[in-house]
Amino acid sequence: MAEELKKAKKNLYFAKLVGVPSSPRKMRYVVDMVRGMEVNRALGVLRFSKKQAAADVEKLLRSAIANWEVKTGRKAEDGELYISKVFVDEGVTMKRMRPAPQGRGYRIRKRSNHVTIFVDTKTNEEN
């Protein structure tokens, strides 16, 4: 079974970012901007975005491109690679208490998320 999983992952080119300390909702906003884009265009969009999460997604996308280059033994050419799948999952939520009036305490939830990016070539999708 492990060998079958290894063979299945051989043709997938992806990168994961685990435990990013921002809420999944904020990260999904950035990820939705680049979903399905060609990678060079997506890198440009992420570079000039004002969102803090964009820097994390840009670094992750560069990692996914490098993974593709290592597995295929080729360099990423213009217009060849695109983001085939990208999703954000909810991570661990740290629970904290903030002092409130009259001896009470307000709950604070510090959320985190996990991001996964899959890249692929346009020619693979057509076959």
Side-chain angles (χ1 to χ4, degrees), residues 32-89:
D32 287 341
M33 288 191 305
V34 296
R35 182 173 279 124
M37 271 191 192
E38 190 266 321
V39 292
N40 290 329
R41 185 163 180 236
L43 286 171
V45 168
L46 293 170
R47 167 69 58 140
F48 295 107
S49 174
K50 291 184 179 181
K51 298 284 182 186
Q52 185 178 2
D56 294 331
V57 175
E58 180 186 358
K59 190 172 181 180
L60 182 65
L61 180 57
R62 289 185 187 279
S63 176
I65 294 168
N67 290 344
W68 180 86
E69 288 176 347
V70 167
K71 280 187 173 181
T72 59
R74 301 185 317 191
K75 284 296 211 181
E77 299 166 5
D78 290 339
E80 185 181 11
L81 276 180
Y82 75 103
I83 300 172
S84 60
K85 260 195 303 191
V86 58
F87 51 88
V88 178
D89 297 323

Side-chain angles (χ1 to χ4, degrees), residues 87-112:
F87 51 88
V88 178
D89 297 323
E90 189 172 334
V92 179
T93 300
M94 291 192 299
K95 293 165 179 95
R96 300 289 183 259
M97 294 299 283
R98 168 169 241 134
Q102 298 181 353
R104 287 189 287 257
Y106 291 152
R107 259 195 213 125
I108 295 178
R109 292 184 304 272
K110 295 188 175 191
R111 301 178 189 271
S112 68

